[in-house]
Structures are given as C-alpha cells and as structure tokens.
Amino acid sequence: MANRLNHGTETMVLRKFGINETYQLAMYLLDQYRGTILSCRYAVPPRLAPAESRTQLEEAVKVAVVDTVMRHPMLQVGVKDATSKTPLWIQLESLDLTQHIKWLHIGEHDDFEQKVQETFRVQLDDRFPDLSIKQPGWKITVMRQGNAPTMEVLLTWNHPHFDGAGAKVFHEDFLEMLNNDENGAFERTGLDGDILRLPQAPPLLPTPIESLKSLPLDLRYLAKIFWEETRPRFLNRDVSQAAWCPIRSSPYKTQFRTFFVDNASLLAILALCRQNKTTITGLLNGLALIAFSSHLDSTVAPAFQSSTIVDHHRNLPPAPPDAPWVRSDRAVSNYVTQLLHRFDTELVARIRSKLPADAREGRDLSTDLRRELWAVSAQNRLEIVRKLEAGLRNDLVGVFKYVTDWQQTMRDMAKKTRQLSWLVTNLGVLDGNTSTRLSTTATRSPTDGDTKSDVGQGWSIRRAQFGLSAEIPAAAIEFAPVSVAGRGMCVSANWPDCALDTMLGERIMADLERWLAQLASQS
C-alpha cells in the first residue's frame, strides 16, 4: 500500500474512512449537507494592530496556522475514492496555504458585524473545491477592518475531516500558537512562501472510535432500531415524528439566524440551571419544546422528537505516545453521536393547555410554563447523563456498523418521514485566554472580562459563533450554542429553506431569545 507520495501520480493510503466520516461524506456528495463554521473574534495585540504592521500580522497568522496543522494530521490529508463505498484518507506532499487562508479587508465605512454575518451565511452554503485536487477540506477566513483591535476568524470545514469539538480545539490551539509566536520568529521547517511541504513520514491519524473500542448492542435495542427502520409506512403510528415538515432536497439553501447572550445574563441563566438540575443543553431542548408546541397545531404535531449531539472524546483511550495532539480529548477528528429525546402527546397537550389563549408573539413564559420548562429540562439532562454513564453501549455509531452503503442509505432516508423536529449541538465553553490552559496555577473568574491579564499585550478570543449548513434529512431546525469563558454565549439556528417556512423559524428563534432574557432578568 505504501506507494510514493504525490511526487508523481501515486499516493500513500493512510487508512479507510471511519463510520462517522463515511456518513458525513455521503451527505456532502448527495448535497444534503455542505459546510460547518466556527468563527471567533480575536483581540489583536497592540503591536500588530497598526496598518504598518499588516505584513507581520499576516505572517503571524500563517505561522500559527502551520503550527496548528502540524499538531493535527486530519488538517493535512486528502481524499481518494470519494464516491466509492470505502473512501480513503491519503497522505499529501504539500499544502498550498493560499487555498486555506483568506484575508478579507473590510472598508472603514462598512458595517463590520453585518459583513461578518453575510460572509458566515455565504460560506455555510459554499461547496469545497473538487475532492480530486488533493487539498484538505478546510479554510480560515480572516476579516479585519482598518486598524481595529479585533479580527474575525472563520474556520469553515467539510465535516468528514473533523467535528465541532475538533473545531473548538483548532481555535484554542491556534490561539496558543499565536501567543507562542510573540517573539516574531516566522521561519518554519517546510514553509516556503505559501507552500507548506509536509513531512515525508506518514502522519498518524486519530483512529475512528469503532476501531478503538467495542460498541455493544443489546438484542432488544437492535431489534427496535431495525423495526423502526424497516416497517411499512402503514404500520407507522408514531405521531412524534416530524411529519409536519416533509423532507425536501432542493433547491439547497440554508436559512441561518443567530443571537448573543451577554455574560451577566448567561451567569444568571446558569445559576437557574443548577438550581433546577439541568444544563444549557437541557434548557434549550425545553425551550424549543414550548416554542414548537406554541407555533404548531396539535392536529399536525401532537408529539415531538428531538436529538442532542453527544461528544465521544470522553470514551477514547489515552492518545498514542507519539500522537502530536498529546491528549485524546484534544484529537481533531469525528467523535460524535446522537441521543434521541421523545416528548409524548400527554406532555405536549399539558404544555399547550398552559399557553395563553392569545399566543401572539412577544409573550413571556407564565409561572405554570416555567414549572413545565424546568421539569422537561431536568428530564432532558437526566437522559443525557444516563447516556454518558452507558458509555458506548447501545450507541447509534454501533448501529451504523451494519450500514454497507452510506450513499444509498442517505438517499433512502431523504424519502422517509422526517423524524426530528429539532436538534441541539452544544460546543460548550471555549477557552479564549490561552494562559488559563497552559498554566496549572492560573485561576480566572468567569466575570473577569477585559482585565489587563486577559488581553494584555497578547492574543485572546472575545466571542464565538457556531453554525451548520442545512442538513436535509435531519432535524427541521438545528440549534448550535457556543460560549467563550467569561464572555457570554451565542445561539444560532439553521433550517432548510425549501422545507421550513422562514417565518416559523424566525418566530421560534425569537421565542428562545426572549425567554432566555426573561429567565436572566427574573433569576
């Protein structure tokens, strides 16, 4: 298998795609999913902010990208046999950094925030260069306005390479590399202008979880999944499926909305979550249930199903001794699974009975509804805890082992009744201040804000925004929260324009924003 690298036409195969990677690639090839973005607002050190330092700033970013790429081999590899049933990761000879680092300089009279959101929306739906060009499917876009003390860095990637947790690691490690390069030494082995020559030794890729651990399935669980997948439609009496939102594949367009929660409000909401034995993820599932129950009639949606994305990094064995990412929780790869939640007709009817008779926009949650909200959110968190305690037993990735043709499977899924009304994928808290991670003695209050030690003369991250392109056969709406320690939270949502009414999506997002503000003010 070990052929010459692409010095010539032959390539070295590193390994086959894992289950998650093959599933993600199938969706991309069928145009059921396009891009994912984690964008961060970076504070630029004063010495690099002036116009005359632009060259040094661009060099600092390039070198920090190179150092991050060398730590994470999934950023270095290409794809072979993409359309086959067994795609392959291949070693590349070099990276052309002009394909992976883009600068956008925003005019001084333009609205910077508006330009960031426009660029974010456009890139979610952009397709990546043809997989045959043998360049990895990721890029960063750096947006800067004049001598501003901040810049936006959008990491846009093709999901087979890594998941959202991997993107969070990318930004944290990129921040670390920026701060490590404060002495301005921009020489790197293998870097010649914008061409990064990669080492000749084959890179060690993170191993898919199914090749590292057993994924045991109880017979009863497997039989239930098999029956749900194969039963004829006339035998399907599951009223919790999202039949109200039929799956439509084209024209492909993502509707994307976002709002921000400041740090003081976030701290108040977190305190309420702790009091009520839940988390932000549980709370968002609960708020979504009330919003969907409010805007959809009981005749079309008497019950609901939702899903929470769960990170499998905690179930990985220790990283190999020679792994450049050092710790298994810092592996940039695909280690996600899903946990299903059901909200039955009795619960949904009870919630609807407590909605105001005039359920127009702008209504706060009543005392009765808040009681229901916290009960649902606590139950949701309990289901997540049980899933985490079960580890890899009865996991969806274990079921996926029996799929032999992912492209056919995803084609078939697009012809079925939609299962999920919504999904929550919470990236958690991003560390925007490298020193807290590098120093074992450093302590930092979550309310520190722009202290001298925080920003100082170095780099830091002020905020983050996470977004997914429309996932055609998946949930009708996908919610994607992310926080930066001490800086607040961003909640985004996406939905397929061809399948969901834009007004409904906007009303549900407005409900979530208003109710989170209400909870923060009443805590």
Side-chain angles (χ1 to χ4, degrees):
M1 191 186 290
N3 302 323
R4 277 171 47 214
L5 301 187
N6 41 348
H7 294 291
T9 57
E10 297 176 333
T11 56
M12 175 180 277
V13 173
L14 298 169
R15 66 164 171 81
K16 293 191 294 187
F17 270 45
I19 291 171
N20 257 324
E21 295 162 346
T22 314
Y23 155 67
Q24 295 290 349
L25 180 61
M27 281 205 297
Y28 179 77
L29 292 171
L30 296 172
D31 207 23
Q32 295 180 347
Y33 187 80
R34 291 194 183 172
T36 319
I37 301 175
L38 178 59
S39 180
C40 291
R41 183 74 49 89
Y42 284 75
V44 180
R47 66 179 183 81
L48 292 174
E52 57 269 22
S53 299
R54 182 162 152 179
T55 302
Q56 292 98 302
L57 176 64
E58 293 182 359
E59 280 296 311
V61 166
K62 181 163 65 174
V63 166
V65 168
V66 167
D67 290 345
T68 307
V69 165
M70 297 314 297
R71 182 178 284 182
H72 298 295
M74 291 307 299
L75 302 171
Q76 306 170 22
V77 292
V79 180
K80 183 182 179 185
D81 299 341
T83 58
S84 74
K85 292 182 182 179
T86 53
L88 305 166
W89 293 115
I90 58 170
Q91 185 176 2
L92 299 179
E93 179 188 59
S94 62
L95 298 190
D96 178 359
L97 295 180
T98 63
Q99 300 293 313
H100 302 285
I101 305 173
K102 309 282 186 183
W103 283 83
L104 285 180
H105 293 281
I106 309 304
E108 59 177 313
H109 300 299
D110 290 328
D111 184 323
F112 184 75
E113 181 61 26
Q114 185 181 330
K115 290 291 183 185
V116 167
Q117 296 304 332
E118 283 175 6
T119 305
F120 198 104
R121 286 185 173 92
V122 167
Q123 289 200 7
L124 277 178
D125 280 0
D126 279 348
R127 290 190 64 81
F128 292 86
D130 192 286
L131 296 173
S132 65
I133 70 161
K134 295 185 177 153
Q135 287 289 302
W138 63 269
K139 67 177 179 182
I140 68 162
T141 305
V142 187
M143 302 183 67
R144 184 101 195 284
Q145 188 172 40
N147 297 340
T150 59
M151 66 185 196
E152 192 79 12
V153 179
L154 287 75
L155 171 64
T156 307
W157 77 95
N158 201 347
H159 213 303
H161 281 272
F162 52 93
D163 56 26
K168 188 169 81 164
V169 170
F170 177 100
H171 272 287
E172 290 177 340
D173 285 2
F174 178 58
L175 176 63
E176 177 191 330
M177 301 308 184
L178 285 167
N179 279 315
N180 285 350
D181 286 333
E182 280 295 275
N183 60 6
F186 296 139
E187 295 77 25
R188 287 296 182 275
T189 303
L191 183 57
D192 182 8
D194 289 317
I195 302 299
L196 174 63
R197 307 284 296 186
L198 295 166
Q200 288 194 1
L204 172 68
L205 300 187
T207 304
I209 196 159
E210 66 273 11
S211 300
L212 289 170
K213 290 284 194 81
S214 169
L215 295 161
L217 299 170
D218 296 340
L219 192 58
R220 184 179 172 186
Y221 172 82
L222 190 58
K224 180 171 176 283
I225 294 282
F226 181 75
W227 170 243
E228 288 176 352
E229 285 298 309
T230 58
R231 67 185 167 192
R233 284 196 178 189
F234 72 88
L235 290 177
N236 184 1
R237 297 186 177 88
D238 188 350
V239 295
S240 67
Q241 290 190 326
W244 61 270
C245 184
I247 296 172
R248 296 190 181 96
S249 300
S250 62
Y252 188 98
K253 181 184 177 183
T254 301
Q255 289 288 347
F256 180 81
R257 301 293 185 275
T258 190
F259 64 82
F260 291 88
V261 178
D262 64 49
N263 195 52
S265 299
L266 179 58
L267 290 174
I269 294 164
L270 286 168
L272 279 175
C273 286
R274 284 190 290 272
Q275 287 172 26
N276 290 280
K277 296 183 172 54
T278 191
T279 59
I280 291 291
T281 301
L283 176 60
L284 287 174
N285 270 301
L287 289 171
L289 174 62
I290 296 175
F292 276 85
S293 300
S294 169
H295 293 291
L296 294 173
D297 192 83
S298 60
T299 54
V300 298
F304 295 101
Q305 290 183 46
S306 79
S307 170
T308 297
I309 299 298
V310 178
D311 181 11
H312 262 328
H313 276 84
R314 62 175 52 80
N315 294 313
L316 296 175
D322 52 345
W325 57 91
V326 181
R327 297 193 335 241
S328 58
D329 64 328
R330 307 298 291 176
V332 171
S333 190
N334 269 292
Y335 292 120
V336 289
T337 189
Q338 288 194 45
L339 171 64
L340 192 70
H341 310 285
R342 291 179 187 270
F343 307 93
D344 62 28
T345 51
E346 184 183 345
L347 169 63
V348 175
R350 190 167 72 243
I351 285 172
R352 285 192 169 117
S353 73
K354 295 179 180 181
L355 291 167
D358 176 17
R360 65 182 187 272
E361 293 181 61
R363 297 299 294 254
D364 280 352
L365 294 169
S366 65
T367 304
D368 273 358
L369 275 174
R370 290 204 303 276
R371 198 174 293 119
E372 292 290 348
L373 168 67
W374 291 119
V376 167
S377 303
Q379 174 61 27
N380 192 269
R381 181 235 174 203
L382 196 60
E383 290 169 7
I384 295 170
V385 168
R386 285 177 184 151
K387 165 66 185 165
L388 298 179
E389 288 173 347
L392 297 171
R393 178 170 291 279
N394 293 336
D395 188 87
L396 206 52
V397 179
V399 178
F400 287 171
K401 287 189 297 187
Y402 295 98
V403 176
T404 56
D405 186 339
W406 270 108
Q407 290 182 63
Q408 189 57 50
T409 298
M410 299 313 295
R411 280 192 199 95
D412 293 343
M413 186 173 285
K415 297 171 187 172
K416 294 181 178 180
T417 302
R418 190 185 302 276
Q419 182 180 6
L420 305 173
S421 288
W422 71 91
L423 172 153
V424 177
T425 174
N426 186 354
L427 280 196
V429 183
L430 192 147
D431 184 355
N433 184 24
T434 316
S435 61
T436 61
R437 198 167 66 256
L438 299 181
S439 168
T440 55
T441 57
T443 56
R444 180 169 178 255
S445 160
T447 54
D448 277 353
D450 287 329
T451 62
K452 199 170 194 177
S453 62
D454 177 13
V455 178
Q457 301 298 304
W459 293 84
S460 62
I461 293 174
R462 302 276 183 87
R463 73 171 207 193
Q465 179 174 311
F466 180 37
L468 296 76
S469 63
E471 206 168 343
I472 295 299
I477 300 183
E478 298 179 323
F479 300 105
V482 63
S483 307
V484 176
R487 300 288 187 178
M489 175 174 69
C490 172
V491 180
S492 77
N494 77 78
W495 60 87
D497 180 67
C498 60
L500 189 84
D501 180 64
T502 298
M503 192 172 290
L504 174 60
E506 289 180 341
R507 284 175 173 166
I508 287 173
M509 271 297 268
D511 283 347
L512 263 61
E513 183 174 11
R514 181 174 55 255
W515 293 338
L516 285 170
Q518 177 195 350
L519 293 173
S521 67
Q522 293 178 351
S523 67

